[in-house]
């Protein structure tokens, strides 16, 4: 079982709709959770981080964390064609020497006109 | 503030050779992490350096090694290259740990 799992997609949504991206993780001691966006041919960029259960909103983005169910999600409201990218879920857990970040394989999002 | 820089951006090597990749973090950042990204495996953690010490290591063979200098610049070395080492190698810097990491543009390595 992979440590961090995401549906690879592609997830297609019409412009203006809500895109919902999901991620599950296996390590119960995971502490911090991140969403990165990666455009084709570019490097990942951090868009959201969440550390405690519940919702965290930042503009059109909302991250949701449920540690009991071991899932984290990202909602993108009013999706735009510029949101078309691969979204990577990353989970941080404390190891012997510090925190280690484990990434999912990403969900490809396509926002269609 | 200048971003994370990586050199070279592209590299072609043959099997059995070795390669050294370089990463310059954002000024003031002391943590540098290295990742390998391939279409099949996604983004996989190689190792993290903080204040010249390797603090974490992923599940890669000993052919993959790294170091960090006193100015926080980091190098990654891969010896005895294999075809499967062809990948995008990304480094990321942060002030103190894996939170709030900023990625460089990557080095694309092709092993023939």
């Amino acid at each position: 079982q992979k440590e961090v799992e995401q549906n690879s997609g592609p997830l297609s949504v019409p412009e203006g709709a809500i895109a919902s991206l999901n991620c599950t993780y296996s390590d119960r001691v995971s502490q911090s959770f991140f969403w990165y966006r990666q455009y084709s041919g570019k490097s990942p960029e951090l868009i959201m981080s969440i550390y405690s259960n519940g919702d965290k909103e930042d503009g059109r983005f909302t991250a949701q964390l449920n540690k009991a169910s071991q899932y984290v999600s990202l909602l993108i409201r009013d999706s735009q064609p510029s949101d078309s990218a691969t979204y990577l879920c990353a989970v941080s857990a404390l190891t012997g020497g510090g925190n280690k970040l484990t990434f999912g394989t990403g969900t490809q999002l396509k926002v269609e006109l | 503030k200048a971003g994370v820089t990586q050199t070279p951006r592209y590299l072609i090597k043959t099997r059995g050779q070795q390669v050294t990749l370089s990463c310059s973090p954002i000024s003031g950042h002391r943590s540098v992490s290295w990742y390998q990204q391939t279409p099949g495996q996604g983004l996989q953690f190689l190792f993290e350096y903080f204040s010249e010490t390797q603090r974490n290591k992923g599940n890669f063979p000993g052919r993959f090694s790294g170091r960090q200098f006193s100015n926080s610049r980091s190098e990654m070395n891969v010896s005895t290259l294999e075809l499967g080492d062809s990948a995008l190698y990304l480094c990321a810097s942060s002030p103190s740990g894996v939170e709030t990491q900023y990625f460089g543009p990557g080095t694309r390595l092709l092993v023939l």
Side-chain angles (χ1 to χ4, degrees), chain B residues 6-112:
Chain B
Q6 292 187 245
T7 56
R9 294 292 310 279
Y10 303 93
L11 209 48
I12 299 176
K13 292 286 187 178
T14 56
R15 279 181 300 173
Q17 287 187 308
Q18 76 165 16
V19 66
T20 299
L21 312 181
S22 181
C23 171
S24 292
I26 293 170
S27 178
H29 286 191
R30 297 168 64 189
S31 170
V32 174
S33 296
W34 287 90
Y35 297 88
Q36 180 196 67
Q37 188 172 36
T38 58
Q41 298 297 317
L43 203 59
Q44 291 187 288
F45 173 76
L46 281 155
F47 27 66
E48 182 214 0
Y49 285 87
F50 181 82
S51 293
E52 303 179 66
T53 300
Q54 187 182 87
R55 196 160 62 171
N56 263 304
K57 191 177 189 306
N59 297 322
F60 278 82
R63 300 185 297 108
F64 292 82
S65 62
R67 59 178 175 170
Q68 186 180 34
F69 302 95
S70 58
N71 61 358
S72 293
R73 189 178 70 86
S74 178
E75 288 183 347
M76 189 192 99
N77 186 74
V78 188
S79 62
T80 321
L81 283 166
E82 300 177 358
L83 295 179
D85 297 333
S86 294
L88 178 67
Y89 290 88
L90 292 158
C91 88
S93 79
S94 71
S96 60
V98 298
E99 283 73 24
T100 323
Q101 288 193 323
Y102 297 88
F103 281 83
T107 294
R108 190 164 294 280
L109 172 66
L110 177 61
V111 181
L112 301 175

Side-chain angles (χ1 to χ4, degrees), chain A residues 77-100:
Chain A
R77 290 182 300 281
D78 188 24
S79 295
Q80 301 297 309
S82 59
D83 295 325
S84 298
T86 296
Y87 289 80
L88 303 168
C89 172
V91 174
S92 168
L94 188 62
T95 63
N99 283 335
K100 175 186 166 184

